Amino acid sequence: MKDFGYDVADYTDVDPLFGNLATFDRLLADIHARGLRVIVDYVPNHTSDQHAWFTDSRSSRTSPRRDWYVWRDPKPDGSPPNNWISVFGGSAWAWDDASGQFYLHSFLAEQPDLDWRNPEVKAAMFDVLRFWLDRGVDGFRIDVAQFVAKDPLLRDNPPNPHPERMAHMGDWSQQLHLYDHGHPDVHEIYREFRALLDSYPGDRVSIGELHHEQFEVWAGFYGQNLDEIHVPFNFHLLFSPWDATEVRCIVDAVEAALPAGAWPNWVLGNHDQRRLASRIGDGQARVAMLLLLTLRGTPTIYYGDELGLPNAEIRPDQVRDPWGLVEPGQGRDPGRSPMPWDGSPNGAFTTPDVDPWLPLAPGHETTNVALQREDPASLLSMTRRLLDLRRGHPALAEGVHRSMDGTPDGTFCFVRSIDGSEGAPAVLVALNLTGEPRRVELDPGTGRVIEGTHPDRLGVTVDTASVDLRPDEGLVIELTAR
Ligand code: GLC
């Protein structure tokens, strides 16, 4: 629990904090009985330093598992083998006094990196996949998927000429990460991974946590023949400024970079970032949800974002995240606060008399599930309606995407339609990413508002020659076939 589960001491068991394998099987069965699926977070790059493999590896230079991890001699001056830095700050190498070598840890020192170039490691880690697939899980989210392939020569990373573009990464932004992850050999690993998944009956999904600024490199993780990761998380919007031009460029670039037949996906929040509503404001959080749920592809919603949950305020003595302890200010705790189910003292996340692991985000008396469920104008209600809509509406479910040119600054408009099918309902999405009114002028035609950030618009007929968007407004307009 140094990194809350991302430091695995046993891949084929359950931490006693949560139960045991019998509890897991029951959970899986109960969830399946409700028509939901279960995806397990798979952490291939590193184990815990408590894992038996590592204890064994560190026990001596001649241990049979020594080369399951990345051990290297110091440089002649005693310094680490290269300049790589840990994502969580400081050198990525830790000194082991007993055996007189450094080991590599791309994250905490308590998270030593496995050496995937060792076939025994790969075999053992593929057995882990089989273990969970045999139990009936529906797939995996692959933690830091790119990290399993590093430069075999362990070359130094060059400095990053634009660290400000990666400022959210703290120390790590100081280098260009050419060598410490994402070596092209990574693709062979995920082709094998996928073949293993596909050898199981039913639908089993792979979701990869990975990012690359270059859209083509990112899209490469689908595999040239769509034979690698089903859902390479698309974090481009998550890391972009909330600006209509940037958003449009990203959407177009992602659509253009996808290999033929690949299915897009979109992410606007996760447990490693600050909260969406705090980042872009309450009004825009609604616009963002409308965008996320009308773009072509699979959306990922981070719990609480459907309520517009803000960052929790964490006092220095409340910091839990190891990253925040190593690099003050980098902690991810503000986005990991308890889900506010209702307005009671601990939001029904836990009983009122105990201290939850992190404080609740401010305002949970009004920002909570119980209240928003009853309010048709709430973000939660809008989110639910949008989810229904995209399931039932062919253009939103499967239609192609076309961004509209010539709309005013601060707006982003696109059409979703079933390609080539005359008369099939098309949908226009018109978004105002600013706090000021905007008028969008498209070709004349009529349409009906079927969803929007402001419920008073529902059902209203509009002329697309002139659509007035209020501040922070987004509309989903079903176009009348001509
Ligand atoms: C991923 C996880 C993050 C974790 C890290 C190390 O980035 O999302 O929460 O700390 O990997 O496993």
Side-chain angles (χ1 to χ4, degrees):
M1 284 297 154
K2 286 281 177 190
D3 189 18
F4 312 119
Y6 289 104
D7 44 337
V8 178
D10 185 347
Y11 286 104
T12 53
D13 206 349
V14 170
D15 191 303
L17 191 60
F18 304 115
N20 52 34
L21 284 170
T23 331
F24 181 85
D25 290 341
R26 221 169 56 230
L27 178 76
L28 190 65
D30 286 358
I31 291 178
H32 281 166
R34 287 166 174 77
L36 300 169
R37 311 282 186 105
V38 177
I39 293 162
V40 171
D41 208 337
Y42 175 70
V43 188
N45 179 65
H46 42 265
T47 68
S48 156
D49 63 348
Q50 315 280 299
H51 196 295
W53 297 343
F54 188 70
T55 338
D56 205 15
S57 178
R58 121 185 278 176
S59 66
S60 95
R61 287 199 189 201
T62 54
S63 141
R65 290 222 175 80
R66 184 66 169 180
D67 55 4
W68 279 42
Y69 294 82
V70 187
W71 291 96
R72 287 293 182 281
D73 289 330
K75 285 188 176 161
D77 66 357
S79 63
N82 68 19
N83 73 352
W84 295 359
I85 43 187
S86 147
V87 173
F88 294 152
S91 170
W93 296 94
W95 176 250
D96 180 56
D97 227 7
S99 65
Q101 279 190 314
F102 282 100
Y103 66 87
L104 180 67
H105 60 91
S106 300
F107 293 84
L108 295 176
E110 293 88 350
Q111 295 168 299
D113 283 33
L114 285 164
D115 187 355
W116 274 72
R117 295 196 180 273
N118 179 339
E120 289 176 13
V121 167
K122 195 165 78 179
M125 288 304 288
F126 278 15
D127 280 347
V128 171
L129 295 172
R130 290 190 189 94
F131 176 88
W132 293 103
L133 289 166
D134 289 341
R135 286 204 113 74
V137 304
D138 302 291
F140 301 96
R141 177 255 188 200
I142 312 162
D143 189 61
V144 294
Q146 283 151 293
F147 275 75
V148 293
K150 294 147 179 122
D151 177 37
L153 302 175
L154 304 185
R155 278 171 282 191
D156 277 353
N157 282 323
N160 182 1
H162 295 293
E164 71 286 353
R165 290 192 196 152
M166 268 181 24
H168 67 283
M169 292 300 294
D171 269 9
W172 214 65
S173 64
Q174 299 304 317
Q175 293 182 351
L176 279 183
H177 295 277
L178 299 189
Y179 298 120
D180 49 357
H181 68 76
H183 186 277
D185 291 346
V186 72
H187 295 289
E188 183 51 35
I189 294 176
Y190 288 114
R191 274 194 294 274
E192 281 183 52
F193 184 108
R194 175 66 172 272
L196 196 164
L197 223 59
D198 289 349
S199 72
Y200 274 77
D203 293 327
R204 318 276 181 143
V205 73
S206 49
I207 304 175
E209 189 211 12
L210 45 89
H211 182 66
H212 201 288
E213 271 186 4
Q214 279 168 276
F215 295 96
E216 291 69 27
V217 178
W218 161 76
F221 282 91
Y222 282 94
Q224 279 180 347
N225 302 308
L226 301 185
D227 52 358
E228 294 183 33
I229 297 174
H230 294 98
V231 184
F233 263 144
N234 168 8
F235 294 137
H236 292 98
L237 286 178
L238 180 61
F239 297 144
S240 138
W242 192 247
D243 166 272
T245 310
E246 304 253 9
V247 169
R248 184 211 164 136
C249 286
I250 288 174
V251 171
D252 290 349
V254 164
E255 283 280 347
L258 293 173
W263 182 242
N265 79 89
W266 302 95
V267 181
L268 279 173
N270 73 18
H271 66 293
D272 292 326
Q273 306 302 326
R274 293 291 188 271
R275 284 280 176 187
L276 181 68
S278 298
R279 190 152 53 87
I280 67 177
D282 289 339
Q284 285 300 313
R286 300 176 73 99
V287 175
M289 185 61 82
L290 205 132
L291 172 71
L292 179 69
L293 297 180
T294 53
L295 282 172
R296 187 173 85 97
T298 299
T300 298
I301 302 178
Y302 181 48
Y303 85 91
D305 283 355
E306 73 277 47
L307 304 174
L309 206 64
N311 288 330
E313 289 156 10
I314 312 289
R315 290 192 317 261
D317 63 301
Q318 292 172 316
V319 173
R320 296 257 184 189
D321 180 21
W323 194 355
L325 296 172
V326 179
E327 275 187 81
Q330 283 300 121
R332 297 162 293 180
D333 300 320
R336 295 178 170 183
S337 66
M339 181 72 169
W341 297 106
D342 65 23
S344 66
N346 277 332
F349 178 81
T350 181
T351 47
D353 52 312
V354 303
D355 261 350
W357 83 303
L358 285 169
L360 275 87
H364 88 275
E365 301 77 12
T366 48
T367 303
N368 63 59
V369 176
L371 278 182
Q372 290 204 17
R373 195 164 23 204
E374 299 308 318
D375 174 9
S378 71
L379 178 51
L380 177 62
S381 299
M382 183 191 86
T383 304
R384 291 183 147 178
R385 286 193 305 268
L386 277 163
L387 289 170
D388 265 352
L389 188 64
R390 52 178 283 127
R391 261 183 225 118
H393 203 293
L396 285 175
E398 291 168 55
V400 294
H401 171 98
R402 182 161 56 96
S403 299
M404 306 301 281
D405 293 325
T407 69
D409 264 9
T411 63
F412 176 35
C413 299
F414 57 90
V415 171
R416 301 282 317 281
S417 60
I418 301 290
D419 212 7
S421 108
E422 272 305 305
V427 168
L428 166 71
V429 179
L431 306 173
N432 181 357
L433 275 73
T434 76
E436 294 134 32
R438 288 284 188 272
R439 172 168 297 170
V440 171
E441 296 171 339
L442 301 168
D443 288 343
T446 54
R448 192 175 56 93
V449 176
I450 53 174
E451 196 45 76
T453 48
H454 297 53
D456 58 336
R457 294 271 215 170
L458 287 181
V460 169
T461 301
V462 289
D463 182 349
T464 48
S466 173
V467 183
D468 283 314
L469 293 174
R470 291 175 287 189
D472 301 320
E473 184 164 51
L475 297 175
V476 185
I477 302 165
E478 183 171 66
L479 298 173
T480 315
R482 266 179 295 159

